[in-house]
Amino acid sequence: MSASANRMRGGMAALPFIAPAALFFSVFVLWPIADSIWVSLHDWDGIHRMRWVGLGNYTELFGDDVFYTALVNNIWWLLSYMLAPVFGLAMALFLNQSIAGMRLYKSLFFFPFVISQVVVGLVFSWFFNGDFGLLNLGLHAIGLHGVSLLGNANWATPSVIVAGLWPQTAYCMILYLTGLTAVNGEIVEAARMDGARGWNMLWNIIIPQLRPATFIAVVVSVVGALRSFDLVSIMTKGGPYDSSAVLAYYMYEQTFLSFRYGYGAAIAVVLFAIMDIYIAIFLVIMLRQERR
Amino acid sequence: MFPRPIQTASPGARALYRVALPVSLIIWLLPLLAIFLTSARTAQDLAQGNYWGWPHGTNLFGNYAAVFTSSPMGRYLLNSIEITLPAVAGTLVLSTLAGFGLAKFRFRASSFVLAIFIAGNFVPFQILMIPVRDLMIHVFPLYNTIWALIVFHSAFQTGFCTLFMRNFMREIPDSLLEAARMDGAGSFRIFWLIVLPLVRPALAALAVLEFTFIWNDYFWALVLVQSDSARPITAGLQALQGMWLASWQLMSAGAIVAATPSVVVFFLMQRHFISGLTLGSVKE
């Protein structure tokens, strides 16, 4: 629907409606962003006076090995999370049938997204446990050696990502299931008449029609990947030896465990800058859709 | 419909599908089933290393009762409820008002204000962490009370909810509001008597969605509260990890307790939940 001519006029009349939300949002979201940038230019332990260091925290950051580990891990998270839309689409195609009980099946498949990441993290820590985890039991059963995945510097990050992909895939699945109900049946039938089927049909007819679902699935997966904190905190605490740190966790650790507030703020600003790229892309696409 | 309806497939394929469905579900939910099974085991079973074998007796009720009697889990659960309900209400009030202001009034900055709400909703929590914690300690002394979480969640979630409400309200025909205006109704009367009844489905969708978002929050619980008196169940569960080091039956039962409310809300309000999640993704 385009902007209509007889909408009510005037910013002053809208003010009492928007002001409360705008006030809360400014105090707890907008101002803190600015303040974090300010804090990042200081040396601060959170208690005593802040000491101005200019870009000192940033120069230190760019020489910090753990920062690079966290940054690289974030990139792994981001890339791996792009599997969530792919798996989610596959699951949605598998479940997009109408037989008795299908609704219940769909809801049960969606389960992992509804529960807290704290619970997901605990469940998977238990699953991956080196001594008695179900995974190792399976490995033993087929004659392989068990491994303590979360205690292994090479495997910790991939293991945590697997745990994260579980709910994320469920989320993408629901987006695609809804998208599939909106696919134009006539076009599908017409393509079938023309002999399109299987991959060909999926790639040329279905996926283009699922673009809105794909857009949202990618957006929420990117945000989910960059926000990854809960699972790292529950499953590995960034270890062993900081090998599974991500920016979100490293920031928390530096601030509260090492009492380096300024340094923590600088890490947050870097993460924010990365996220801004995605926010900008999202806004541009959204506002363009709006204008049509 | 894609893929082709299974009813039109060969009998073999149909049978295969009927088998594949429950099998894949069990594999998909295996971690959860395992934790549920563990929550019913006896401590002796686990002490003997029987983690995955057939249980030698169950202690389902005993374990769940122990969770509440031997730990502050009951307190955490109550805190979560006391935090989540007001926070959901708060964010709905703020965003319904703002959504109306942005959907039905024309002024130059409206796109800009909306863009700020949307963008703010995406920011990483860490960029807010230090200042928000300071605000709660020094400016509004709410740190370590449930109010710190209520106020922050209400404020932060307003970004997403305002976009949602605004999009929903734009679909309300202007002529409807215009008619009321002709009859001499002011903006607030129009909002209260015409708009609010019409947006009830959207409010329901947002309420369930926000319930699970806020219920499941862990990061802010870690940052804004630290004592048992205000800690919600997610952070509480994590805190109990140390105490219940080898008592997996209790840890599992605790995890199930923490997960249950959002699962129940989801099942009861499923239709609303999904319409909330997918808003805007299917219509273009």
Side-chain angles (χ1 to χ4, degrees), chain B residues 150-169:
Chain B
I150 294 171
V151 168
F152 177 75
H153 286 310
S154 300
F156 183 79
Q157 295 297 336
T158 292
F160 167 72
C161 296
T162 297
L163 168 69
F164 188 103
M165 292 311 296
R166 178 259 186 196
N167 286 354
F168 198 88
M169 287 176 180

Side-chain angles (χ1 to χ4, degrees), chain A residues 91-92 94-97 99-115 166-167 169-175 177-178, chain B residues 17 21 24-26 28-29 32 212 259 262-275 277:
Chain A
M91 277 175 62
F94 176 60
L95 294 176
N96 191 36
Q97 294 291 348
I99 58 172
M102 210 57 205
R103 260 177 69 99
L104 182 63
Y105 267 110
K106 288 175 185 169
S107 328
L108 289 172
F109 269 96
F110 187 59
F111 231 75
F113 181 73
V114 185
I115 58 184
W166 192 48
T169 299
Y171 190 0
C172 294
M173 176 203 76
I174 282 288
L175 294 174
L177 271 174
T178 317
Chain B
Y17 188 71
L21 211 49
S24 52
L25 180 67
I26 289 172
W28 182 241
L29 294 184
L32 269 185
T212 50
S262 42
V263 167
V264 169
V265 166
F266 166 68
F267 266 105
L268 292 179
M269 308 277 286
Q270 212 184 105
R271 202 166 47 86
H272 297 296
F273 189 95
I274 289 168
S275 72
L277 269 187

Side-chain angles (χ1 to χ4, degrees), chain B residues 19-283:
Chain B
V19 176
L21 211 49
V23 170
S24 52
L25 180 67
I26 289 172
I27 295 173
W28 182 241
L29 294 184
L30 200 59
L32 269 185
L33 295 174
I35 209 157
F36 183 72
L37 206 71
T38 307
S39 77
R41 278 183 193 279
T42 60
Q44 296 93 300
D45 228 16
L46 292 167
Q48 285 161 16
N50 182 15
Y51 291 100
W52 304 103
W54 194 253
H56 297 122
T58 56
N59 189 26
L60 185 71
F61 292 105
N63 288 341
Y64 282 85
V67 160
F68 286 102
T69 51
S70 73
S71 81
M73 208 62 172
R75 180 73 252 169
Y76 299 150
L77 194 63
L78 219 60
N79 289 339
S80 270
I81 296 170
E82 286 173 12
I83 291 162
T84 307
L85 296 181
V88 169
T91 195
L92 286 187
V93 170
L94 290 174
S95 61
T96 309
L97 288 167
F100 179 62
L102 289 170
K104 291 297 175 193
F105 292 88
R106 233 162 15 144
F107 58 100
R108 199 171 293 155
S110 73
S111 296
F112 175 74
V113 174
L114 182 69
I116 294 285
F117 277 123
I118 301 169
N121 165 60
F122 282 135
V123 301
F125 294 151
Q126 283 70 19
I127 193 84
L128 312 178
M129 185 183 95
I130 296 170
V132 167
R133 190 167 175 275
D134 276 350
L135 279 175
M136 293 300 184
I137 294 173
H138 301 296
V139 183
F140 319 95
L142 299 175
Y143 178 76
N144 206 21
T145 69
I146 60 168
W147 285 100
L149 289 168
I150 294 171
V151 168
F152 177 75
H153 286 310
S154 300
F156 183 79
Q157 295 297 336
T158 292
F160 167 72
C161 296
T162 297
L163 168 69
F164 188 103
M165 292 311 296
R166 178 259 186 196
N167 286 354
F168 198 88
M169 287 176 180
R170 284 195 77 170
E171 305 293 321
I172 299 174
D174 289 337
S175 52
L176 209 61
L177 311 190
E178 207 52 43
R181 175 140 300 218
M182 293 294 188
D183 291 342
S187 303
F188 273 98
R189 269 183 80 81
I190 293 177
F191 173 76
W192 190 255
L193 295 175
I194 299 178
V195 175
L196 217 49
L198 286 173
V199 299
R200 268 164 47 192
L203 285 173
L206 271 185
V208 272
L209 212 57
E210 290 299 323
F211 182 94
T212 50
F213 286 173
I214 296 170
W215 184 275
N216 289 337
D217 162 66
Y218 169 65
F219 181 75
W220 292 103
L222 224 51
V223 171
L224 295 181
V225 299
Q226 57 176 3
S227 66
D228 285 348
S229 63
R231 206 177 249 158
I233 196 154
T234 45
L237 191 63
Q238 193 272 340
L240 287 175
Q241 230 183 335
M243 183 178 131
W244 282 339
L245 212 49
S247 307
W248 283 97
Q249 78 284 9
L250 296 184
M251 201 65 215
S252 312
I256 302 268
V257 170
T260 302
S262 42
V263 167
V264 169
V265 166
F266 166 68
F267 266 105
L268 292 179
M269 308 277 286
Q270 212 184 105
R271 202 166 47 86
H272 297 296
F273 189 95
I274 289 168
S275 72
L277 269 187
T278 55
L279 179 101
S281 67
V282 283
K283 57 177 175 194

Side-chain angles (χ1 to χ4, degrees), chain A residues 124-131 135-136 146-160 231-232 234-244:
Chain A
F124 270 85
S125 307
W126 171 241
F127 190 69
F128 287 139
N129 187 293
D131 297 322
L135 182 76
N136 277 320
V147 277
S148 178
L149 289 177
L150 296 175
N152 179 309
N154 293 322
W155 285 104
T157 288
S159 306
V160 182
L231 289 173
V232 175
I234 296 287
M235 294 176 72
T236 65
K237 298 211 181 305
Y241 311 111
D242 293 318
S243 62
S244 65

Side-chain angles (χ1 to χ4, degrees), chain A residues 78-89:
Chain A
L78 207 54
L79 294 176
S80 315
Y81 258 45
M82 291 303 106
L83 290 173
V86 179
F87 293 161
L89 175 61

